[in-house]
Amino acid sequence: MSSGPEQQHGPTPVARAPRHVAVVGAGMVGLATAWFLQEAGVHVTVYERDRVGAGASWGNAGWLTPGLTAPLPEPAVLRYGLRAVLSSRSPVYVPLRADRQLVRFLASFVAHSTARRWRRGMAAYVPLNERALEAFDVLAAGGVAAPTRRAGSFLACFGGERDARGLLTELEQIRAAGQKVDFHLVTGWRARALDPALTDRVNAVIQLHGQRYLDPPGFVRSLAEAVRVRGGEIVEGVDVVDVLPRAGGVSVVAGNGERQQHDVVVLATGALLGELATRFGVRQPVQAGRGYSFSVPVRQMPRGPLYFPKQRVACTPLGDRLRVAGMMEFRRPGDPLDPRRITAIVEAVRPLLTGVDLDERRDEWVGSRPCTPDGLPLIGATAAPGVFVAGGHGMWGIALGPLTGQLLAQAVLKGETPPELAPFDPLRT
Ligand SMILES: Cc1cc2nc3c(=O)[nH]c(=O)nc-3n(C[C@H](O)[C@H](O)[C@H](O)COP(=O)(O)OP(=O)(O)OC[C@H]3O[C@@H](n4cnc5c(N)ncnc54)[C@H](O)[C@@H]3O)c2cc1C
């Protein structure tokens, strides 16, 4: 097995427009990239070590909320950080025995949690957020059958008006950065009246307008189906262990030693991005920010997604059940599901929801958000010719996955980075 390519300075464009591209990872980002490459007539092969949507793209909350899509490191996160080390029931959890890689990630994450850096990151997100929903419409028009749903009502719920101030300030800052976001505060009984699932412990609600949501498993399945129908191959159960850039192409090496040659490879391996990408000059660590979810039956389905910012819990109507998701646990992606986190989510929302049977849980799940220390994804060319990466979207890889695929496909095909992607250069330090 090779030790990787010689280090070069800056991305090197591939010599001719690629005709056959390998995508490693069949999550939202990899599948969307494959689909948009197919738009230009490229033949794609998607390699997936497990099965379609086996990673974070399965059990997430499915929110398509440009109004909330912002960098994760921000000054308020530091307060959670302190509490986190002290309590395993906190919505943000860092194990006391952190390894060296996690310590490095956290130190850099904390360094990025300043107002100035947040504003810079937000300015980078705005041009993506503006186009994020359009990219879903392109997929729909091109035959991806699973729908996105307009959230007639998207409610961020609080015990009282004072608790709502933090999010109101953040939304003002998001707006000040140039992001269109339409919201208003409702208090008292009027707040509760916005949704029958809210108890009298909810006394203030911020209502966000113009957001959407989707059913994550249904959507990734449908996207994979669309890729197949257009002639793409999705090879499940193949662990890619190496990628070898060579003159005239890139070889993808599977765990069983088999090699396949492609013109270009796109690494879209979620929280495991570093395993294959580091040797190609991608220095930003990608850390698993693990989240949990489960689904429960409801007497009457909420009218749209419900968000409990203080508890950091997201609820999304999925068919006839409500998906409840939350937690940010900085641990290794492969660690087993910790039932204490599920209990912590249940106990956090029990007083706030009515008509929801939190004890009839199904589909208990843990998955890894691919988090970068500066809160920005890694999208574009690496230092090796023909090797690209797409990932590190943290909390927002579902909302931004399709647009990422659309923009990255342009970069792959034209050999130059679209201007919107400049802040997400995977080679940034
Ligand atoms: C609880 C929770 C709630 C969330 N809610 C939202 C939300 O509401 N909205 C939103 O936008 N985002 C949300 N997210 C974040 C979102 O889920 C992720 O950002 C997104 O799914 C990342 O997609 P991805 O394709 O980059 O990675 P993944 O979906 O993790 O896909 C990566 C794939 O690569 C495969 N792979 C890895 N290594 C290899 C290899 N060597 N060879 C072959 N295959 C490999 C994996 O098996 C996996 O299938 C949430 C996340 C969590 C955990």
Side-chain angles (χ1 to χ4, degrees):
M1 213 171 279
S2 157
S3 58
E6 287 170 24
Q7 286 302 307
Q8 303 181 13
H9 297 288
T12 312
V14 280
R16 58 185 166 78
R19 286 193 292 268
H20 197 149
V21 175
V23 177
V24 186
M28 179 64 129
V29 174
L31 290 169
T33 304
W35 194 93
F36 278 104
L37 284 163
Q38 289 179 314
E39 283 285 271
V42 172
H43 183 79
V44 294
T45 306
V46 182
Y47 295 96
E48 166 55 50
R49 61 155 49 157
D50 193 333
R51 53 178 206 287
V52 163
S57 298
W58 196 262
N60 62 78
W63 293 1
L64 314 179
T65 45
L68 292 173
T69 302
L72 182 60
E74 43 120 2
V77 155
L78 299 183
R79 285 201 305 277
Y80 282 106
L82 273 180
R83 264 202 280 145
V85 182
L86 300 175
S87 164
S88 67
R89 290 172 57 196
S90 158
V92 182
Y93 179 63
V94 180
L96 275 173
R97 284 189 304 147
D99 55 32
R100 263 179 54 199
Q101 196 190 325
L102 177 55
V103 169
R104 185 177 149 234
F105 169 83
L106 289 173
S108 180
F109 187 86
V110 167
H112 281 94
S113 297
T114 65
R116 191 176 60 86
R117 292 204 187 213
W118 183 88
R119 277 197 299 274
R120 203 162 69 190
M122 191 61 223
Y125 267 111
V126 169
L128 296 196
N129 290 349
E130 270 173 6
R131 294 176 53 192
L133 297 180
E134 264 169 50
F136 282 92
D137 295 337
V138 176
L139 291 177
V144 176
T148 62
R149 301 195 183 283
R150 283 170 207 283
S153 155
F154 187 107
L155 307 180
C157 310
F158 303 88
E161 204 173 330
R162 269 182 64 170
D163 300 325
R165 278 186 205 151
L167 184 62
L168 283 174
T169 307
E170 194 179 334
L171 288 167
E172 294 293 357
Q173 286 165 347
I174 288 174
R175 194 183 258 170
Q179 173 73 45
K180 272 189 243 127
V181 47
D182 188 9
F183 60 91
H184 71 277
L185 177 69
V186 185
T187 55
W189 65 267
R190 285 192 176 83
R192 281 191 297 285
L194 289 171
D195 201 290
L198 300 175
T199 68
D200 60 6
R201 300 283 283 272
V202 174
N203 289 296
V205 160
I206 299 173
Q207 196 168 15
L208 275 119
H209 307 283
Q211 314 299 305
R212 296 193 208 174
Y213 62 102
L214 51 70
D215 171 345
F219 197 88
V220 283
R221 263 197 306 256
S222 176
L223 185 52
E225 182 55 24
V227 168
R228 285 192 180 107
V229 164
R230 285 150 50 115
E233 289 172 74
I234 301 181
V235 194
E236 293 173 296
V238 170
D239 193 11
V240 172
V241 294
D242 210 351
V243 165
L244 309 173
R246 294 280 181 258
V250 185
S251 282
V252 168
V253 185
N256 63 5
E258 275 182 27
R259 294 178 180 211
Q260 288 293 333
Q261 173 93 0
H262 303 270
D263 296 330
V264 160
V265 63
V266 177
L267 305 176
T269 48
L272 299 176
L273 200 66
E275 283 185 1
L276 291 172
T278 309
R279 77 193 80 162
F280 303 121
V282 179
R283 301 265 175 271
Q284 290 275 319
V286 178
Q287 167 67 43
R290 301 196 335 156
Y292 288 74
S293 71
F294 52 84
S295 75
V296 287
V298 288
R299 202 167 45 229
Q300 192 179 338
M301 188 55 83
R303 296 189 181 119
L306 300 174
Y307 177 26
F308 299 98
K310 192 169 172 202
Q311 294 74 15
R312 300 206 150 210
V313 174
C315 301
T316 311
L318 288 194
D320 60 353
R321 294 176 75 85
L322 187 69
R323 176 170 281 181
V324 182
M327 286 284 155
M328 177 65 90
E329 186 190 53
F330 289 122
R331 279 174 70 177
R332 281 194 299 255
D335 284 356
L337 179 147
D338 182 344
R340 291 177 305 170
R341 308 272 173 273
I342 300 273
T343 309
I345 296 176
V346 169
E347 296 316 324
V349 293
R350 203 186 283 284
L352 305 165
L353 290 171
T354 179
V356 175
D357 191 345
L358 289 161
D359 300 317
E360 278 299 313
R361 295 187 295 279
R362 270 199 230 145
D363 320 311
E364 291 188 347
W365 175 89
V366 61
S368 297
R369 303 174 185 89
C371 297
T372 57
D374 62 7
L376 303 182
L378 301 155
I379 315 167
T382 69
V387 182
F388 292 76
V389 297
H393 295 77
M395 312 254 292
W396 302 116
I398 299 301
L400 295 179
L403 181 62
T404 295
Q406 193 175 26
L407 294 172
L408 187 70
Q410 280 173 32
V412 168
L413 295 166
K414 293 193 182 148
E416 55 186 49
T417 306
E420 301 92 313
L421 290 186
F424 309 110
D425 181 358
L427 301 179
R428 67 184 183 270
T429 47

